[in-house]
Every structure is written in structure tokens, then in C-alpha cells.
Amino acid sequence: MKKSRILFTIVVLVAFLTSCKNESDEYFDPRGTDYAGSESCIQCHQTQYDMALKSSHFKATAPAISGNVLGDFDKGNHIFIYDKNTKLVMEKRNDSLYQVLYKNGKEVEAHRFEIVFGTKHAQTSVYWRDHNTYELPVSYYNSIHNWATSPGFPADKPYFDRIVVKDCYSCHSSNISSRNINQTSQDKNFLSMEVEDVIDKKTIVYGIDCERCHGPAKKHAEFHLKNPDVKIANSITSFKTLNRQQKLDACALCHAGNDGMKMKSRFDFKPGDNLSDFYRNTRSITDTAQFDVHGNQFRLMSQSKCFIKSEKMDCITCHNPHENASKNLASYSKICMSCHQGLKHNETTLKTMSGSSLTSNCVECHMPKKSSGAIKFQLSDSKQLSDYILRTHKIGIYTNNKK
């Protein structure tokens, strides 16, 4: 009887110890064996993970399943008209979503939503064909709560042949490539060999995940699960340890436009690396030409006197990268006022705005919303171009805030 109790205790103990294992032990990441996957972060960073999961960063790309795709598919706002004989209809077929082209009432072709890009301002989608992805001609825009042409697509005829190459994913996903998935991320020579312009579905890591910004976390997770009392981050990049330029480079990787010369794949960039080794600007940051509000947040901020005169200001001064930008503009005003206390506005401004508005809405005047020159779209059955409007990151004094 005593032996039976001892045996039972041993079995229970073994079962308990087996259940207390690293969540990343059985996880396989296409980036290599030193990656743990974002879910491994939950064990110690539940709060940050929960915030990030809802953020636009995390949803920069996602599989086009129910809940991820914006827009109507079975109501009045699900049809895009090209002309009296041609229309594109957003349709739900079984468990999948499609853009279906009809001519003279007959179905000509149908393409399934397979990957969605974006969720905050707008959302465009792609479908798979011959080991590549192609952009669907109609996108959903939150500003109008309706479907309109995808950026750069014509409104007079349907077009399904615009390829979305791997570099497009470098700022919308954490990994995608044509390489085999059984390599470690340490094999630098192999990883840089992107000979074929094809995409392997198995290599996709959707959205901007934890390890895209903090680097491979397998060793980090293993160490801290074994040493829970150690509070200093081990085998991971903590942004607290980075200098100002390193922090800026980590954000500028995707928020400094895409018109520069690419030296190496941006997927190989790790926090703490020098951006100039991966991506070289062909235009000086002091260029007097106006940078577009879409995708140029870093370069616009860098032209601001606030940034130039500060030794500490960076992107994290105003933004928590784990969550979306706050809709409470007063929260940004507090940050502004921490440096601009006692600042007096001119008489013209004082006549047009109340004192309370001046102290709680700095952003509206000094970072106004502007129309993007890079992105325009057209509504169904319309020849008129509509503006894609975003808030500029060039902090300044604007005498005319017209869009």
C-alpha cells in the first residue's frame, strides 16, 4: 500500500513538471529556431501582449477570415460599379469572402480575400496566384465607411494583375520569403539569398509581432522561466537600453517612406542595428520638398523644430508602440505643455480659440490633418478622386489648415 502511494505521488509530480514547460518548446517559427512566437510572451507580459493584440501594428496583415475583414458583403454597400455593364460585388460564399466581377449580368471571374492589409484607416486585400499575391482592385475605407478603388487602381475598368511583392510585406508583416523554413535565423548568408520572386505561404508571420521589434526571444523565454526572480531582461533587446538613434531607427525602418535605396532585406533588421546598413535615403532629411503624410512620419518629425532642438525626443515620447495612437488629443497636449509651459499665443489665435482649447488641443493646430499625395481613391460609379487624409508629423505653425 505504501509503495502504491509513493508511485502515485511520483506520477502526479511528473505530470505537474511536464505541464510547467516553456510555451515555445513545441513552437516552430519560419524565421528560425531562436524565435519563440509572440504567445510565449503572454506568460510574463500579459498586459503588453493584450494591448498589442488589438493594435494596428499587430493587425498590419492578417488572414482574411471572418472578424478580420472590414466592410459589408450582404448589404447595399457591397457593390462597386465601373459602368452600366460592369460591376464588382463583394460576396460571401460558404466560409470565404470574394470580389466577383460581373459583365452584362454574368460572372466573369472571382477572387478570394486571402490576406488583408491594415485595419485603422483603410484595408486592402490580396489573393494568391502562382506562388505570389495580387492586390484586389477595391478596398474598404473607414473614412467613408464604404468600398472604393484600391490606391492607384482605375475606376473605369477592373484590374487583377498588380503583384504585391515581398518588400511590401516588410512593413506589414514580421516575415515572408521564398526560402526554406528549416533554417535557423543565424544563417545570414542563406537568408539574404532571395533569388526567386515567389512567396512561400509557410513563411508568413502575420502583423508586426513582439519579436519583430524586440528580436528573437527563445533564449529570453527559457532563461526567465528558469530564473523568475531576475528582473533585468536577458537575451532580448530592451528599448530602455537603446540610445536615441537606435530607437528612432527601429521605428524609421517602416515609418520613413519607401523611396530610398534598399541595401539588405528589412526583415533582417534587429532592434539596435543601424538603419543605414539596411536602407539608405536618397533624399536628405533637410530636403525642403514636402514629404507625403503617408508613411513618412519619421522624416516629417525630423524636420520639426521640437525634434531638432531636443536631445531626447523620439517616437516613444508621444506613442506607446504596444497600442494604437490615442484618440484623446488632450493626452498629447500634456506632452507638448511639458516643454512649452507659459507659451503665449498671438492675438489672432486667441480670438479664434478659447483658452481651454488652446491648452487641450495642440495637435489640431500644430499637427493638422493633410491630404496624401501618394494615395487617392474613387467611389463607385464616380470619376472624382477622393483624398486620403492623415495627420502630419511635422510639428509647426500652420497659418492655413485647409486640407
Side-chain angles (χ1 to χ4, degrees):
M1 186 70 177
K2 187 175 182 180
K3 290 182 178 180
S4 298
R5 290 177 180 173
I6 294 173
L7 181 61
F8 176 76
T9 302
I10 293 173
V11 170
V12 171
L13 184 61
V14 170
F16 175 76
L17 292 174
T18 302
S19 65
C20 293
K21 62 181 180 180
N22 186 352
E23 290 291 328
S24 64
D25 284 346
E26 297 179 3
Y27 174 76
F28 184 79
D29 194 292
R31 291 169 289 189
T33 56
D34 47 352
Y35 283 82
S38 290
E39 289 190 4
S40 67
C41 305
I42 299 174
Q43 300 166 96
C44 300
H45 305 285
Q46 181 79 53
T47 301
Q48 291 86 345
Y49 179 86
D50 288 343
M51 284 193 299
L53 193 64
K54 300 173 184 176
S55 71
S56 297
H57 275 144
F58 221 84
K59 296 179 180 180
T61 49
I65 58 176
S66 179
N68 289 341
V69 184
L70 303 177
D72 294 327
F73 285 80
D74 53 6
K75 297 179 181 179
N77 293 332
H78 71 299
I79 299 174
F80 186 92
I81 298 174
Y82 288 97
D83 57 48
K84 63 180 181 179
N85 300 317
T86 311
K87 64 181 180 180
L88 191 69
V89 183
M90 273 44 75
E91 293 186 8
K92 185 180 296 183
R93 296 183 175 182
N94 297 321
D95 294 329
S96 299
L97 303 171
Y98 289 83
Q99 288 192 6
V100 186
L101 179 64
Y102 291 92
K103 287 190 176 182
N104 298 314
K106 295 182 179 180
E107 180 179 327
V108 177
E109 56 184 305
H111 296 287
R112 187 159 67 101
F113 286 71
E114 303 208 59
I115 299 175
V116 292
F117 284 69
T119 185
K120 184 179 180 181
H121 299 289
Q123 185 179 82
T124 194
S125 307
V126 301
Y127 72 96
W128 284 98
R129 188 179 81 197
D130 299 330
H131 303 290
N132 265 309
T133 54
Y134 293 80
E135 190 171 3
L136 292 171
V138 171
S139 296
Y140 187 82
Y141 294 85
N142 284 320
S143 60
I144 58 172
H145 303 292
N146 208 339
W147 300 94
T149 54
S150 296
F153 275 74
D156 58 346
K157 61 181 179 180
Y159 178 70
F160 294 94
D161 296 322
R162 179 188 287 175
I163 190 171
V164 178
V165 297
K166 287 191 290 289
D167 193 57
C168 296
Y169 288 87
S170 65
C171 288
H172 286 272
S173 73
S174 293
N175 187 74
I176 193 166
S177 68
S178 57
R179 65 184 174 89
N180 294 326
I181 62 173
N182 59 353
Q183 307 294 316
T184 69
S185 59
Q186 298 298 321
D187 192 354
K188 294 287 186 182
N189 293 329
F190 182 82
L191 294 187
S192 62
M193 293 174 63
E194 292 284 359
V195 180
E196 293 184 280
D197 190 20
V198 298
I199 295 173
D200 186 342
K201 289 184 181 182
K202 296 178 182 178
T203 67
I204 300 176
V205 178
Y206 291 106
I208 305 304
D209 73 348
C210 306
E211 289 171 290
R212 184 74 198 272
C213 294
H214 292 283
K218 186 69 177 268
K219 292 181 179 178
H220 170 75
E222 290 175 345
F223 176 86
H224 285 283
L225 286 173
K226 293 177 181 177
N227 303 276
D229 295 331
V230 178
K231 302 303 179 184
I232 299 175
N234 181 280
S235 301
I236 199 76
T237 300
S238 171
F239 271 65
K240 293 178 181 179
T241 65
L242 299 181
N243 62 41
R244 185 196 191 196
Q245 190 57 52
Q246 288 173 323
K247 292 176 182 178
L248 291 169
D249 280 358
C251 298
L253 180 71
C254 292
H255 292 281
N258 59 0
D259 58 349
M261 182 187 301
K262 296 170 182 64
M263 314 298 290
K264 293 192 290 185
S265 171
R266 283 185 275 191
F267 282 124
D268 291 339
F269 181 92
K270 302 293 187 299
D273 288 346
N274 294 320
L275 182 58
S276 59
D277 293 335
F278 293 80
Y279 183 81
R280 191 160 298 166
N281 286 323
T282 54
R283 295 168 62 188
S284 169
I285 204 71
T286 58
D287 195 330
T288 55
Q290 184 177 2
F291 290 114
D292 195 79
V293 290
H294 176 260
N296 282 290
Q297 294 91 338
F298 168 72
R299 291 195 286 189
L300 287 167
M301 179 184 71
S302 298
Q303 292 183 332
S304 308
K305 287 185 179 180
C306 288
F307 177 83
I308 295 170
K309 292 184 176 181
S310 173
E311 295 181 357
K312 297 181 179 180
M313 183 179 180
D314 57 35
C315 306
I316 301 177
T317 300
C318 298
H319 295 294
N320 180 347
H322 294 128
E323 60 184 350
N324 290 333
S326 174
K327 294 181 179 179
N328 179 12
L329 299 184
S331 64
Y332 297 109
S333 294
K334 290 181 180 179
I335 300 171
C336 297
M337 298 301 287
S338 66
C339 291
H340 296 283
Q341 293 178 2
L343 185 68
K344 295 183 179 180
H345 292 84
N346 61 38
E347 292 183 6
T348 303
T349 302
L350 291 172
K351 289 179 181 178
T352 58
M353 296 187 71
S354 66
S356 58
S357 296
L358 289 173
T359 57
S360 63
N361 200 359
C362 305
V363 169
E364 199 63 46
C365 287
H366 298 288
M367 296 177 66
K369 291 182 178 180
K370 298 286 185 179
S371 299
S372 169
I375 297 179
K376 303 286 183 181
F377 59 88
Q378 288 175 264
L379 298 173
S380 172
D381 199 23
S382 172
K383 294 182 180 179
Q384 183 177 352
L385 284 172
S386 296
D387 289 327
Y388 188 67
I389 299 171
L390 297 170
R391 191 172 296 284
T392 182
H393 276 66
K394 185 175 182 178
I395 308 165
I397 298 174
Y398 294 85
T399 56
N400 186 350
N401 284 352
K402 291 182 179 180
K403 295 182 175 64

